[in-house]
Amino acid sequence: MPSRSPSSASSIIHCYPDRKRSDGGGMGRGRAPCCAKVGLNRGSWTPQEDMRLIAYIQKHGHANWRALPKQAGLLRCGKSCRLRWINYLRPDLKRGNFTADEEETIIKLHGLLGNKWSKIASCLPGRTDNEIKNVWNTHLKKRVSQREKPGDTKNKGKAADASDDADAHSPSSSASSSTTTANNNNGSSSSGDTACTSKEPETVEVSLIEQDIDISDMLMDAPTEELLAGLAAPMPTSPCSSSSLATTTCVGAVSDELLDLPEIDLEPEIWSIIDGYGGAAVVSGDATVPCTASPGEEGTEWWVENLEKELGLWGPMDESLAHPDPLGQVSYPGPLTETEGDPVSTYFRSGPTASPLREIASPAVLSGVPVRFGVEGRV
DNA sequence: AATGACCCCAACCGCTCCCTA
DNA sequence: ATAGGGAGCGGTTGGGGTCAT
């Protein structure tokens, strides 16, 4: 079966198409707009918009999505900003294809929970409900129905079968899955990040279905991580994924999983700034608390400010900074362009487990030295 | 090389839930 | 108790990429 492999690459391209779909035009995705919010951008996000959103959230958090776009100078509705952040820009997102383990976990959890994507996502650190939903609809549903076919040779329920299947269905998944799996299995790396699919996938596979699971509990408000912690003993208890992430306990958890990154030569003070900066909300993916409230805010302020200056985003968050073009598109002053050189797309090309905030433009990046945004990538 | 079919997934919509006054 | 507003969730859409012919 073809083509999950290109997904990483192609999704990058997906990120910043020419916007002809959305330029003020009626060609946005999905249905017609429900609200009369004319003049707002729709459709794919530009790097400028991404940067603006990232910078704003890094600096102020996202306590109020509705007010955020205006305060950030984005011509977007709050919902759109929220989705973009949760599904794409959040620092703790795992990129790349799903591993066989992750897929098995999804299948099992779906069997237990049904289409409770956010619940399922809370068991898959770094994965969003939207992503999981997509994977389910495009791959796993078919696979499951195939397995259920009587007489189907694949229906033998062997673990090997599952992984074979997964590998078969997603060639790329093998490529990136090896990457991701390597990360997952990196003992020192996965301390917080991986919950269900963490260090010991085998354990998870077994435990998720074989232990007693009180589905009613899972469907209730009990944090999924606790439930799963009960299901799989060795499992770390800080799943950080999905849109529900903001409500889960993730502080400091995500971080180590993403350590398996190329060595980056950083000035020590950069790290200390980042340390002071990202220790709390942002790193955890919970940016509801303005980061400026965290320790080391002075350095933080300086750093964010610098970043914004470099990006041409700095200045009062004022809509006057936004210059809608004739098509209704916003452009901001600054060096960003939608070319290969732009920090966001550059970041997205950097690899499956890379996170948008990690290597996104910073002064160092712009001068050719990658620097990571959040602490979670710290070595 | 060109074209059509299929697949992927980011982003949309509308509904529901939750919180606050 | 309840009404209103905001956030979150799940279902759906369709542009663009990839594969097959």
PDB file of all heavy atoms in Angstrom, chain A residues 7 29 33-34 42-43 79 84 130 139, chain B residues 7-15 18:
ATOM      1  N   SER A   7       3.595  11.294   3.445  1.00  0.00           N
ATOM      2  CA  SER A   7       2.743  12.142   4.242  1.00  0.00           C
ATOM      3  C   SER A   7       3.528  13.179   5.013  1.00  0.00           C
ATOM      4  O   SER A   7       3.098  14.312   5.118  1.00  0.00           O
ATOM      5  CB  SER A   7       1.926  11.307   5.209  1.00  0.00           C
ATOM      6  OG  SER A   7       2.777  10.602   6.073  1.00  0.00           O
ATOM      7  N   ARG A  29     -11.770  24.883   2.985  1.00  0.00           N
ATOM      8  CA  ARG A  29     -12.126  23.491   3.212  1.00  0.00           C
ATOM      9  C   ARG A  29     -13.471  23.427   3.907  1.00  0.00           C
ATOM     10  O   ARG A  29     -13.881  24.327   4.601  1.00  0.00           O
ATOM     11  CB  ARG A  29     -11.073  22.840   4.065  1.00  0.00           C
ATOM     12  CG  ARG A  29      -9.744  22.710   3.369  1.00  0.00           C
ATOM     13  CD  ARG A  29      -8.825  21.908   4.237  1.00  0.00           C
ATOM     14  NE  ARG A  29      -7.565  21.648   3.563  1.00  0.00           N
ATOM     15  CZ  ARG A  29      -6.475  22.375   3.777  1.00  0.00           C
ATOM     16  NH1 ARG A  29      -6.512  23.379   4.601  1.00  0.00           N
ATOM     17  NH2 ARG A  29      -5.362  22.070   3.166  1.00  0.00           N
ATOM     18  N   PRO A  33     -18.852  28.933   5.580  1.00  0.00           N
ATOM     19  CA  PRO A  33     -18.700  29.478   6.925  1.00  0.00           C
ATOM     20  C   PRO A  33     -20.044  29.633   7.605  1.00  0.00           C
ATOM     21  O   PRO A  33     -21.018  30.059   7.000  1.00  0.00           O
ATOM     22  CB  PRO A  33     -18.036  30.839   6.684  1.00  0.00           C
ATOM     23  CG  PRO A  33     -18.166  31.126   5.248  1.00  0.00           C
ATOM     24  CD  PRO A  33     -18.328  29.817   4.548  1.00  0.00           C
ATOM     25  N   CYS A  34     -20.062  29.272   8.881  1.00  0.00           N
ATOM     26  CA  CYS A  34     -21.329  29.333   9.591  1.00  0.00           C
ATOM     27  C   CYS A  34     -21.577  30.733  10.106  1.00  0.00           C
ATOM     28  O   CYS A  34     -22.678  31.150  10.325  1.00  0.00           O
ATOM     29  CB  CYS A  34     -21.319  28.369  10.758  1.00  0.00           C
ATOM     30  SG  CYS A  34     -20.044  28.735  11.958  1.00  0.00           S
ATOM     31  N   ARG A  42      -9.122  32.234   6.181  1.00  0.00           N
ATOM     32  CA  ARG A  42      -9.503  30.846   6.367  1.00  0.00           C
ATOM     33  C   ARG A  42      -8.560  29.993   5.539  1.00  0.00           C
ATOM     34  O   ARG A  42      -7.753  30.479   4.785  1.00  0.00           O
ATOM     35  CB  ARG A  42     -10.957  30.624   5.961  1.00  0.00           C
ATOM     36  CG  ARG A  42     -11.927  31.446   6.793  1.00  0.00           C
ATOM     37  CD  ARG A  42     -13.352  31.314   6.327  1.00  0.00           C
ATOM     38  NE  ARG A  42     -13.824  29.933   6.463  1.00  0.00           N
ATOM     39  CZ  ARG A  42     -14.088  29.142   5.446  1.00  0.00           C
ATOM     40  NH1 ARG A  42     -13.952  29.585   4.225  1.00  0.00           N
ATOM     41  NH2 ARG A  42     -14.497  27.917   5.644  1.00  0.00           N
ATOM     42  N   GLY A  43      -8.688  28.708   5.753  1.00  0.00           N
ATOM     43  CA  GLY A  43      -7.834  27.809   5.009  1.00  0.00           C
ATOM     44  C   GLY A  43      -6.461  27.680   5.625  1.00  0.00           C
ATOM     45  O   GLY A  43      -6.276  27.929   6.811  1.00  0.00           O
ATOM     46  N   LYS A  79     -11.211  29.863  17.098  1.00  0.00           N
ATOM     47  CA  LYS A  79     -11.314  28.428  16.883  1.00  0.00           C
ATOM     48  C   LYS A  79     -10.209  27.938  15.959  1.00  0.00           C
ATOM     49  O   LYS A  79      -9.592  26.903  16.182  1.00  0.00           O
ATOM     50  CB  LYS A  79     -12.669  28.152  16.228  1.00  0.00           C
ATOM     51  CG  LYS A  79     -13.367  26.934  16.732  1.00  0.00           C
ATOM     52  CD  LYS A  79     -14.781  26.932  16.163  1.00  0.00           C
ATOM     53  CE  LYS A  79     -15.522  25.721  16.621  1.00  0.00           C
ATOM     54  NZ  LYS A  79     -16.905  25.717  16.125  1.00  0.00           N
ATOM     55  N   ARG A  84      -5.155  25.181  15.067  1.00  0.00           N
ATOM     56  CA  ARG A  84      -3.822  25.208  14.500  1.00  0.00           C
ATOM     57  C   ARG A  84      -2.785  24.902  15.577  1.00  0.00           C
ATOM     58  O   ARG A  84      -1.836  24.160  15.353  1.00  0.00           O
ATOM     59  CB  ARG A  84      -3.560  26.577  13.877  1.00  0.00           C
ATOM     60  CG  ARG A  84      -2.218  26.692  13.169  1.00  0.00           C
ATOM     61  CD  ARG A  84      -2.105  25.739  12.000  1.00  0.00           C
ATOM     62  NE  ARG A  84      -0.832  25.898  11.289  1.00  0.00           N
ATOM     63  CZ  ARG A  84      -0.404  25.087  10.334  1.00  0.00           C
ATOM     64  NH1 ARG A  84      -1.134  24.054   9.967  1.00  0.00           N
ATOM     65  NH2 ARG A  84       0.747  25.284   9.746  1.00  0.00           N
ATOM     66  N   ASN A 130      -7.260  14.704  16.182  1.00  0.00           N
ATOM     67  CA  ASN A 130      -7.504  14.826  14.746  1.00  0.00           C
ATOM     68  C   ASN A 130      -6.653  13.843  13.952  1.00  0.00           C
ATOM     69  O   ASN A 130      -7.122  13.175  13.027  1.00  0.00           O
ATOM     70  CB  ASN A 130      -7.181  16.263  14.317  1.00  0.00           C
ATOM     71  CG  ASN A 130      -7.865  16.641  13.022  1.00  0.00           C
ATOM     72  OD1 ASN A 130      -8.977  16.218  12.741  1.00  0.00           O
ATOM     73  ND2 ASN A 130      -7.188  17.456  12.234  1.00  0.00           N
ATOM     74  N   HIS A 139      -6.853   4.152   7.633  1.00  0.00           N
ATOM     75  CA  HIS A 139      -6.142   2.872   7.654  1.00  0.00           C
ATOM     76  C   HIS A 139      -6.747   1.851   8.595  1.00  0.00           C
ATOM     77  O   HIS A 139      -7.076   0.742   8.206  1.00  0.00           O
ATOM     78  CB  HIS A 139      -4.691   3.073   8.074  1.00  0.00           C
ATOM     79  CG  HIS A 139      -3.954   4.044   7.219  1.00  0.00           C
ATOM     80  ND1 HIS A 139      -3.634   3.788   5.919  1.00  0.00           N
ATOM     81  CD2 HIS A 139      -3.502   5.287   7.478  1.00  0.00           C
ATOM     82  CE1 HIS A 139      -2.990   4.829   5.420  1.00  0.00           C
ATOM     83  NE2 HIS A 139      -2.898   5.744   6.342  1.00  0.00           N
TER      84      HIS A 139
ATOM     85  P    DC B   7      -8.110   4.475  -2.292  1.00  0.00           P
ATOM     86  OP1  DC B   7      -7.805   3.096  -1.831  1.00  0.00           O
ATOM     87  OP2  DC B   7      -9.464   5.027  -2.142  1.00  0.00           O
ATOM     88  O5'  DC B   7      -7.074   5.465  -1.585  1.00  0.00           O
ATOM     89  C5'  DC B   7      -5.705   5.379  -1.928  1.00  0.00           C
ATOM     90  C4'  DC B   7      -4.911   6.402  -1.126  1.00  0.00           C
ATOM     91  O4'  DC B   7      -5.053   7.706  -1.723  1.00  0.00           O
ATOM     92  C3'  DC B   7      -5.338   6.535   0.326  1.00  0.00           C
ATOM     93  O3'  DC B   7      -4.176   6.552   1.131  1.00  0.00           O
ATOM     94  C2'  DC B   7      -6.096   7.863   0.367  1.00  0.00           C
ATOM     95  C1'  DC B   7      -5.436   8.659  -0.755  1.00  0.00           C
ATOM     96  N1   DC B   7      -6.307   9.651  -1.439  1.00  0.00           N
ATOM     97  C2   DC B   7      -5.859  10.960  -1.625  1.00  0.00           C
ATOM     98  O2   DC B   7      -4.751  11.274  -1.187  1.00  0.00           O
ATOM     99  N3   DC B   7      -6.655  11.844  -2.267  1.00  0.00           N
ATOM    100  C4   DC B   7      -7.850  11.452  -2.724  1.00  0.00           C
ATOM    101  N4   DC B   7      -8.597  12.359  -3.353  1.00  0.00           N
ATOM    102  C5   DC B   7      -8.322  10.128  -2.556  1.00  0.00           C
ATOM    103  C6   DC B   7      -7.527   9.265  -1.911  1.00  0.00           C
ATOM    104  P    DC B   8      -4.287   6.506   2.675  1.00  0.00           P
ATOM    105  OP1  DC B   8      -3.246   5.591   3.170  1.00  0.00           O
ATOM    106  OP2  DC B   8      -5.687   6.338   3.088  1.00  0.00           O
ATOM    107  O5'  DC B   8      -3.835   7.991   3.038  1.00  0.00           O
ATOM    108  C5'  DC B   8      -2.643   8.499   2.450  1.00  0.00           C
ATOM    109  C4'  DC B   8      -2.459   9.950   2.844  1.00  0.00           C
ATOM    110  O4'  DC B   8      -3.375  10.761   2.085  1.00  0.00           O
ATOM    111  C3'  DC B   8      -2.724  10.251   4.317  1.00  0.00           C
ATOM    112  O3'  DC B   8      -1.642  11.018   4.809  1.00  0.00           O
ATOM    113  C2'  DC B   8      -4.037  11.026   4.304  1.00  0.00           C
ATOM    114  C1'  DC B   8      -4.018  11.678   2.939  1.00  0.00           C
ATOM    115  N1   DC B   8      -5.344  11.955   2.313  1.00  0.00           N
ATOM    116  C2   DC B   8      -5.603  13.218   1.791  1.00  0.00           C
ATOM    117  O2   DC B   8      -4.745  14.102   1.878  1.00  0.00           O
ATOM    118  N3   DC B   8      -6.797  13.447   1.196  1.00  0.00           N
ATOM    119  C4   DC B   8      -7.697  12.468   1.107  1.00  0.00           C
ATOM    120  N4   DC B   8      -8.857  12.734   0.496  1.00  0.00           N
ATOM    121  C5   DC B   8      -7.446  11.170   1.632  1.00  0.00           C
ATOM    122  C6   DC B   8      -6.264  10.963   2.222  1.00  0.00           C
ATOM    123  P    DC B   9      -1.416  11.156   6.308  1.00  0.00           P
ATOM    124  OP1  DC B   9       0.038  11.255   6.526  1.00  0.00           O
ATOM    125  OP2  DC B   9      -2.207  10.169   7.039  1.00  0.00           O
ATOM    126  O5'  DC B   9      -2.046  12.596   6.571  1.00  0.00           O
ATOM    127  C5'  DC B   9      -1.552  13.716   5.867  1.00  0.00           C
ATOM    128  C4'  DC B   9      -2.459  14.904   6.095  1.00  0.00           C
ATOM    129  O4'  DC B   9      -3.700  14.719   5.384  1.00  0.00           O
ATOM    130  C3'  DC B   9      -2.853  15.109   7.561  1.00  0.00           C
ATOM    131  O3'  DC B   9      -2.885  16.501   7.827  1.00  0.00           O
ATOM    132  C2'  DC B   9      -4.268  14.543   7.624  1.00  0.00           C
ATOM    133  C1'  DC B   9      -4.767  15.002   6.271  1.00  0.00           C
ATOM    134  N1   DC B   9      -5.977  14.317   5.766  1.00  0.00           N
ATOM    135  C2   DC B   9      -6.820  14.997   4.881  1.00  0.00           C
ATOM    136  O2   DC B   9      -6.516  16.149   4.532  1.00  0.00           O
ATOM    137  N3   DC B   9      -7.922  14.383   4.428  1.00  0.00           N
ATOM    138  C4   DC B   9      -8.210  13.145   4.820  1.00  0.00           C
ATOM    139  N4   DC B   9      -9.313  12.583   4.347  1.00  0.00           N
ATOM    140  C5   DC B   9      -7.364  12.437   5.714  1.00  0.00           C
ATOM    141  C6   DC B   9      -6.264  13.053   6.158  1.00  0.00           C
ATOM    142  P    DA B  10      -1.960  17.065   8.903  1.00  0.00           P
ATOM    143  OP1  DA B  10      -0.569  16.788   8.560  1.00  0.00           O
ATOM    144  OP2  DA B  10      -2.495  16.669  10.212  1.00  0.00           O
ATOM    145  O5'  DA B  10      -2.250  18.623   8.702  1.00  0.00           O
ATOM    146  C5'  DA B  10      -1.944  19.231   7.456  1.00  0.00           C
ATOM    147  C4'  DA B  10      -3.009  20.253   7.099  1.00  0.00           C
ATOM    148  O4'  DA B  10      -4.237  19.589   6.724  1.00  0.00           O
ATOM    149  C3'  DA B  10      -3.374  21.210   8.230  1.00  0.00           C
ATOM    150  O3'  DA B  10      -3.558  22.505   7.677  1.00  0.00           O
ATOM    151  C2'  DA B  10      -4.670  20.633   8.797  1.00  0.00           C
ATOM    152  C1'  DA B  10      -5.308  20.008   7.565  1.00  0.00           C
ATOM    153  N9   DA B  10      -6.127  18.824   7.801  1.00  0.00           N
ATOM    154  C8   DA B  10      -5.896  17.805   8.665  1.00  0.00           C
ATOM    155  N7   DA B  10      -6.803  16.855   8.643  1.00  0.00           N
ATOM    156  C5   DA B  10      -7.694  17.283   7.673  1.00  0.00           C
ATOM    157  C6   DA B  10      -8.887  16.730   7.157  1.00  0.00           C
ATOM    158  N6   DA B  10      -9.391  15.563   7.571  1.00  0.00           N
ATOM    159  N1   DA B  10      -9.529  17.416   6.212  1.00  0.00           N
ATOM    160  C2   DA B  10      -9.019  18.566   5.787  1.00  0.00           C
ATOM    161  N3   DA B  10      -7.917  19.201   6.190  1.00  0.00           N
ATOM    162  C4   DA B  10      -7.292  18.492   7.150  1.00  0.00           C
ATOM    163  P    DA B  11      -3.828  23.723   8.565  1.00  0.00           P
ATOM    164  OP1  DA B  11      -3.223  24.887   7.872  1.00  0.00           O
ATOM    165  OP2  DA B  11      -3.504  23.417   9.956  1.00  0.00           O
ATOM    166  O5'  DA B  11      -5.411  23.855   8.450  1.00  0.00           O
ATOM    167  C5'  DA B  11      -5.987  24.064   7.183  1.00  0.00           C
ATOM    168  C4'  DA B  11      -7.503  24.006   7.301  1.00  0.00           C
ATOM    169  O4'  DA B  11      -7.919  22.644   7.535  1.00  0.00           O
ATOM    170  C3'  DA B  11      -8.094  24.841   8.446  1.00  0.00           C
ATOM    171  O3'  DA B  11      -9.110  25.665   7.926  1.00  0.00           O
ATOM    172  C2'  DA B  11      -8.660  23.790   9.407  1.00  0.00           C
ATOM    173  C1'  DA B  11      -8.984  22.652   8.460  1.00  0.00           C
ATOM    174  N9   DA B  11      -9.064  21.339   9.071  1.00  0.00           N
ATOM    175  C8   DA B  11      -8.240  20.802  10.018  1.00  0.00           C
ATOM    176  N7   DA B  11      -8.571  19.592  10.406  1.00  0.00           N
ATOM    177  C5   DA B  11      -9.690  19.306   9.640  1.00  0.00           C
ATOM    178  C6   DA B  11     -10.518  18.176   9.563  1.00  0.00           C
ATOM    179  N6   DA B  11     -10.347  17.067  10.288  1.00  0.00           N
ATOM    180  N1   DA B  11     -11.554  18.217   8.691  1.00  0.00           N
ATOM    181  C2   DA B  11     -11.734  19.314   7.959  1.00  0.00           C
ATOM    182  N3   DA B  11     -11.017  20.455   7.939  1.00  0.00           N
ATOM    183  C4   DA B  11     -10.003  20.375   8.812  1.00  0.00           C
ATOM    184  P    DC B  12      -9.691  26.825   8.760  1.00  0.00           P
ATOM    185  OP1  DC B  12      -9.452  28.068   8.016  1.00  0.00           O
ATOM    186  OP2  DC B  12      -9.305  26.712  10.171  1.00  0.00           O
ATOM    187  O5'  DC B  12     -11.254  26.477   8.668  1.00  0.00           O
ATOM    188  C5'  DC B  12     -11.867  26.359   7.392  1.00  0.00           C
ATOM    189  C4'  DC B  12     -13.041  25.423   7.482  1.00  0.00           C
ATOM    190  O4'  DC B  12     -12.575  24.137   7.908  1.00  0.00           O
ATOM    191  C3'  DC B  12     -14.092  25.812   8.512  1.00  0.00           C
ATOM    192  O3'  DC B  12     -15.146  26.540   7.883  1.00  0.00           O
ATOM    193  C2'  DC B  12     -14.589  24.497   9.074  1.00  0.00           C
ATOM    194  C1'  DC B  12     -13.649  23.457   8.534  1.00  0.00           C
ATOM    195  N1   DC B  12     -13.092  22.595   9.592  1.00  0.00           N
ATOM    196  C2   DC B  12     -13.683  21.348   9.835  1.00  0.00           C
ATOM    197  O2   DC B  12     -14.656  21.017   9.139  1.00  0.00           O
ATOM    198  N3   DC B  12     -13.197  20.561  10.817  1.00  0.00           N
ATOM    199  C4   DC B  12     -12.155  20.977  11.542  1.00  0.00           C
ATOM    200  N4   DC B  12     -11.696  20.170  12.496  1.00  0.00           N
ATOM    201  C5   DC B  12     -11.533  22.238  11.310  1.00  0.00           C
ATOM    202  C6   DC B  12     -12.024  23.011  10.330  1.00  0.00           C
ATOM    203  P    DC B  13     -16.206  27.259   8.767  1.00  0.00           P
ATOM    204  OP1  DC B  13     -16.885  28.240   7.910  1.00  0.00           O
ATOM    205  OP2  DC B  13     -15.583  27.670  10.041  1.00  0.00           O
ATOM    206  O5'  DC B  13     -17.226  26.072   9.140  1.00  0.00           O
ATOM    207  C5'  DC B  13     -17.888  25.360   8.107  1.00  0.00           C
ATOM    208  C4'  DC B  13     -18.823  24.357   8.729  1.00  0.00           C
ATOM    209  O4'  DC B  13     -18.046  23.357   9.414  1.00  0.00           O
ATOM    210  C3'  DC B  13     -19.767  24.976   9.757  1.00  0.00           C
ATOM    211  O3'  DC B  13     -21.100  24.675   9.429  1.00  0.00           O
ATOM    212  C2'  DC B  13     -19.346  24.373  11.093  1.00  0.00           C
ATOM    213  C1'  DC B  13     -18.545  23.141  10.714  1.00  0.00           C
ATOM    214  N1   DC B  13     -17.363  22.902  11.604  1.00  0.00           N
ATOM    215  C2   DC B  13     -17.255  21.698  12.300  1.00  0.00           C
ATOM    216  O2   DC B  13     -18.146  20.850  12.179  1.00  0.00           O
ATOM    217  N3   DC B  13     -16.181  21.503  13.097  1.00  0.00           N
ATOM    218  C4   DC B  13     -15.236  22.440  13.203  1.00  0.00           C
ATOM    219  N4   DC B  13     -14.194  22.203  13.988  1.00  0.00           N
ATOM    220  C5   DC B  13     -15.327  23.676  12.487  1.00  0.00           C
ATOM    221  C6   DC B  13     -16.393  23.863  11.704  1.00  0.00           C
ATOM    222  P    DG B  14     -22.277  25.445  10.120  1.00  0.00           P
ATOM    223  OP1  DG B  14     -23.372  25.557   9.129  1.00  0.00           O
ATOM    224  OP2  DG B  14     -21.752  26.653  10.789  1.00  0.00           O
ATOM    225  O5'  DG B  14     -22.740  24.418  11.261  1.00  0.00           O
ATOM    226  C5'  DG B  14     -23.016  23.084  10.902  1.00  0.00           C
ATOM    227  C4'  DG B  14     -23.158  22.238  12.142  1.00  0.00           C
ATOM    228  O4'  DG B  14     -21.860  22.058  12.755  1.00  0.00           O
ATOM    229  C3'  DG B  14     -24.055  22.851  13.224  1.00  0.00           C
ATOM    230  O3'  DG B  14     -24.829  21.821  13.784  1.00  0.00           O
ATOM    231  C2'  DG B  14     -23.054  23.420  14.219  1.00  0.00           C
ATOM    232  C1'  DG B  14     -21.934  22.399  14.128  1.00  0.00           C
ATOM    233  N9   DG B  14     -20.617  22.879  14.535  1.00  0.00           N
ATOM    234  C8   DG B  14     -20.059  24.108  14.303  1.00  0.00           C
ATOM    235  N7   DG B  14     -18.855  24.249  14.801  1.00  0.00           N
ATOM    236  C5   DG B  14     -18.611  23.032  15.399  1.00  0.00           C
ATOM    237  C6   DG B  14     -17.464  22.586  16.103  1.00  0.00           C
ATOM    238  O6   DG B  14     -16.425  23.200  16.338  1.00  0.00           O
ATOM    239  N1   DG B  14     -17.617  21.259  16.541  1.00  0.00           N
ATOM    240  C2   DG B  14     -18.739  20.491  16.323  1.00  0.00           C
ATOM    241  N2   DG B  14     -18.697  19.263  16.828  1.00  0.00           N
ATOM    242  N3   DG B  14     -19.803  20.905  15.678  1.00  0.00           N
ATOM    243  C4   DG B  14     -19.673  22.169  15.244  1.00  0.00           C
ATOM    244  P    DC B  15     -26.106  22.153  14.649  1.00  0.00           P
ATOM    245  OP1  DC B  15     -27.278  21.688  13.887  1.00  0.00           O
ATOM    246  OP2  DC B  15     -26.031  23.543  15.155  1.00  0.00           O
ATOM    247  O5'  DC B  15     -25.904  21.165  15.890  1.00  0.00           O
ATOM    248  C5'  DC B  15     -25.400  19.849  15.649  1.00  0.00           C
ATOM    249  C4'  DC B  15     -24.657  19.358  16.862  1.00  0.00           C
ATOM    250  O4'  DC B  15     -23.370  19.996  16.936  1.00  0.00           O
ATOM    251  C3'  DC B  15     -25.375  19.638  18.186  1.00  0.00           C
ATOM    252  O3'  DC B  15     -25.594  18.411  18.866  1.00  0.00           O
ATOM    253  C2'  DC B  15     -24.417  20.562  18.944  1.00  0.00           C
ATOM    254  C1'  DC B  15     -23.081  20.323  18.277  1.00  0.00           C
ATOM    255  N1   DC B  15     -22.171  21.500  18.276  1.00  0.00           N
ATOM    256  C2   DC B  15     -20.918  21.411  18.888  1.00  0.00           C
ATOM    257  O2   DC B  15     -20.586  20.347  19.429  1.00  0.00           O
ATOM    258  N3   DC B  15     -20.106  22.496  18.898  1.00  0.00           N
ATOM    259  C4   DC B  15     -20.503  23.621  18.310  1.00  0.00           C
ATOM    260  N4   DC B  15     -19.661  24.666  18.330  1.00  0.00           N
ATOM    261  C5   DC B  15     -21.767  23.728  17.672  1.00  0.00           C
ATOM    262  C6   DC B  15     -22.569  22.661  17.672  1.00  0.00           C
ATOM    263  P    DC B  18     -19.208  18.023  30.822  1.00  0.00           P
ATOM    264  OP1  DC B  18     -18.225  16.996  31.238  1.00  0.00           O
ATOM    265  OP2  DC B  18     -20.617  17.941  31.279  1.00  0.00           O
ATOM    266  O5'  DC B  18     -18.632  19.457  31.234  1.00  0.00           O
ATOM    267  C5'  DC B  18     -17.468  19.939  30.573  1.00  0.00           C
ATOM    268  C4'  DC B  18     -17.222  21.380  30.962  1.00  0.00           C
ATOM    269  O4'  DC B  18     -18.055  22.250  30.159  1.00  0.00           O
ATOM    270  C3'  DC B  18     -17.537  21.705  32.416  1.00  0.00           C
ATOM    271  O3'  DC B  18     -16.456  22.416  32.969  1.00  0.00           O
ATOM    272  C2'  DC B  18     -18.807  22.550  32.336  1.00  0.00           C
ATOM    273  C1'  DC B  18     -18.654  23.213  30.981  1.00  0.00           C
ATOM    274  N1   DC B  18     -19.918  23.630  30.325  1.00  0.00           N
ATOM    275  C2   DC B  18     -20.007  24.902  29.754  1.00  0.00           C
ATOM    276  O2   DC B  18     -19.034  25.652  29.816  1.00  0.00           O
ATOM    277  N3   DC B  18     -21.156  25.267  29.150  1.00  0.00           N
ATOM    278  C4   DC B  18     -22.189  24.419  29.092  1.00  0.00           C
ATOM    279  N4   DC B  18     -23.302  24.830  28.467  1.00  0.00           N
ATOM    280  C5   DC B  18     -22.110  23.115  29.662  1.00  0.00           C
ATOM    281  C6   DC B  18     -20.967  22.761  30.255  1.00  0.00           C
TER     282       DC B  18
END
